């Protein structure tokens, strides 16, 4: 039953091309045009899509009665970024059980362990960098994160394979907002990475690869679903890649952090001093300010009314992550980089959503958010407290049309030395 208010509708048969062209600004542009927190468009061969933005929209989006994830992600995203059979597309008890597997890995001790591993990798890499004229931070940080992720998870990684494994994990991330060659690269990368990890899971299960029981690789390999069955090898590999891939993605935030230190030079000394909890505030502001995940999507699980608007069952709804993190209703001077805003931030799960919102255990909020914050703090503290470097002239701009984006020059650093 339609309760009345008309959702502003974008005219035309399909706007997928506009999304590719406008990138992070696609949703915010239209919200501004319609002066609304909601509008309807058509994408993916003319399918109706409702876009919503803001705190109340986030509260709605994470209401499990109203939304489901099965069937929500487009095939092309599953073929590259997510994989098939992973936690992202699950609902109800089965989702909660699988999500518990991820959250059980995020203990205080485990986060401390990965931070120690990560710091060690920065130290080792910097020892090489001091012998070079310059390096590109983004690909170097990706390699550091790949080595960190494999060691923490328990996946053996030979030095000769570091480049290809890092590249594959990176290509899956890079495929997110892409069509054409970038999407295909992501698919090839996923196929190769799934084979790599499936083989490792089989070796864990048949005893060929001995691994500590506390390691995520062991825990996922022997995890049982609600019916008491082990995950099939492919699904286990998809979930292990759901740990490795996003840890490599943290390199993007670290690169943006380095850019922030360069663009807002007053932050550099504050990072080095870390008075109050400055490094943490800085990390939070990097996650809020810079573009990474533009939005996330779910299907309506039933028909319902919200704020006078009617939602039909099985409609794709997109939550505007980038726009919510830049909403003037939620953030003062949203387009200013201001880490101190987090000094007295009260911490609502619905207004600061760089990695999704709502609950961790019962909802779809990012399982790796604490880990991301931990490794960003470790990495950016290392860059400001342990080494000094110069930043030569280069193209540090980043495209707002490309999803995901990063500084065009990859952030070149020169004359690197230990402090
Ligand atoms: C690099 C920074 C990261 C960003 C920007 C990010 C972003 C996100 C977003 C937007 C979601 C979807 C939320 C939703 O649909 O409601 C998500 C889900 C998820 N993330 Fe992250 N993430 C990051 C790092 C990580 C890390 C380091 C891990 C694991 C080690 C991780 C594991 C996951 C998993 C397993 C899910 C699915 C949760 C579920 O469906 O219940 N992410 N992330």
């Amino acid at each position: 039953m339609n309760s009345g208010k008309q959702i502003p509708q974008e005219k035309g048969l399909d706007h997928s091309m506009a999304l590719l062209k406008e990138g992070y600004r696609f949703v915010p542009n239209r919200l501004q045009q319609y002066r609304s927190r909601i509008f309807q468009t058509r994408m993916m061969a003319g399918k109706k899509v409702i876009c919503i933005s803001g705190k109340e929209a986030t509260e709605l989006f994470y209401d499990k009665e109203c939304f489901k994830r099965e069937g929500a992600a487009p095939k092309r995203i599953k073929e590259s970024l997510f994989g098939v059979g992973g936690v992202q597309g699950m609902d109800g008890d089965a989702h909660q059980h699988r999500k518990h597997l991820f959250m059980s890995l995020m203990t205080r001790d485990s986060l401390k362990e990965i931070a120690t591993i990560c710091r060690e990798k920065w130290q080792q890499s910097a020892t090489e960098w001091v012998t070079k004229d310059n390096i590109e931070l983004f690909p170097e940080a990706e390699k550091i994160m790949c080595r960190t992720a494999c060691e923490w998870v328990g996946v053996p990684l030979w030095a000769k394979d570091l480049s290809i494994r890092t590249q594959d994990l990176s290509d899956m991330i890079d495929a997110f907002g892409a069509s054409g060659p970038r999407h295909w690269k992501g698919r090839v990368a996923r196929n190769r990475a799934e084979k790599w990890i499936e083989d490792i899971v089989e070796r864990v299960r048949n005893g060929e690869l001995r691994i500590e029981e506390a390691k995520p690789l062991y825990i996922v390999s022997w995890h049982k679903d609600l019916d008491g069955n082990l995950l099939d090898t492919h699904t286990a590999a998809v979930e292990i890649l759901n740990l490795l891939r996003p840890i490599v993605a943290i390199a993007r935030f670290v690169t943006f952090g380095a850019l922030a230190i360069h663009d807002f030079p007053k932050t550099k000394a504050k990072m080095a001093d870390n008075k109050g909890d400055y490094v943490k505030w800085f990390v939070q502001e990097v996650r809020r300010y810079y573009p990474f995940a533009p939005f996330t999507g779910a299907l309506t699980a039933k028909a319902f009314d919200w704020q006078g608007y009617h939602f039909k069952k099985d409609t794709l709804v997109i939550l505007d992550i980038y726009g919510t993190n830049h909403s003037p209703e939620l953030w003062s001077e949203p387009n200013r980089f201001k880490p101190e805003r987090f000094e007295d931030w009260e911490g609502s799960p619905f207004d600061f959503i760089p990695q999704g919102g709502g609950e961790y255990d019962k909802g779809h909020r990012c399982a790796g958010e604490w880990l991301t914050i931990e490794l960003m703090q470790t990495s950016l503290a290392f860059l400001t407290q342990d080494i000094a470097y110069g930043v030569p002239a280069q193209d540090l701009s980043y495209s707002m049309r490309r999803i995901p984006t990063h500084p065009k020059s990859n952030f070149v650093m020169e004359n690197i030395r230990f402090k």
Side-chain angles (χ1 to χ4, degrees), residues 61-62 69 87-89 95 99 102 106 152 239 242-251 253 292-293 295-297 321 353-357 360 363-369 371-372:
F61 186 82
Y62 285 99
R69 298 300 177 107
V87 63
Q88 294 94 339
H95 171 259
K99 188 65 175 288
F102 282 92
M106 304 296 162
W152 179 69
E239 299 300 31
N242 267 335
L243 294 168
L244 301 179
R245 184 196 67 253
I247 294 175
V248 169
I250 297 171
F253 271 151
F292 195 168
F295 42 69
T296 182
I321 286 182
I353 56 166
Q355 296 177 226
Y360 292 103
H364 283 272
R365 189 183 187 123
C366 175
E369 190 164 19
L371 194 157
T372 303

Side-chain angles (χ1 to χ4, degrees), residues 324-385:
T324 302
N325 287 338
H326 290 81
S327 162
E329 287 159 26
L330 299 172
W331 305 96
S332 70
E333 300 184 284
N335 296 316
R336 238 186 96 193
F337 186 83
K338 211 168 59 173
E340 284 83 356
R341 70 171 81 241
F342 281 98
E343 182 172 359
D344 46 19
W345 179 65
E346 282 171 9
S348 156
F350 300 109
D351 58 10
F352 176 46
I353 56 166
Q355 296 177 226
E359 294 176 292
Y360 292 103
D361 283 290
K362 294 181 184 157
H364 283 272
R365 189 183 187 123
C366 175
E369 190 164 19
W370 305 327
L371 194 157
T372 303
I373 295 169
E374 190 77 38
L375 293 198
M376 284 178 72
Q377 291 191 121
T378 303
S379 305
L380 293 167
F382 182 84
L383 288 179
T384 47
Q385 294 168 14

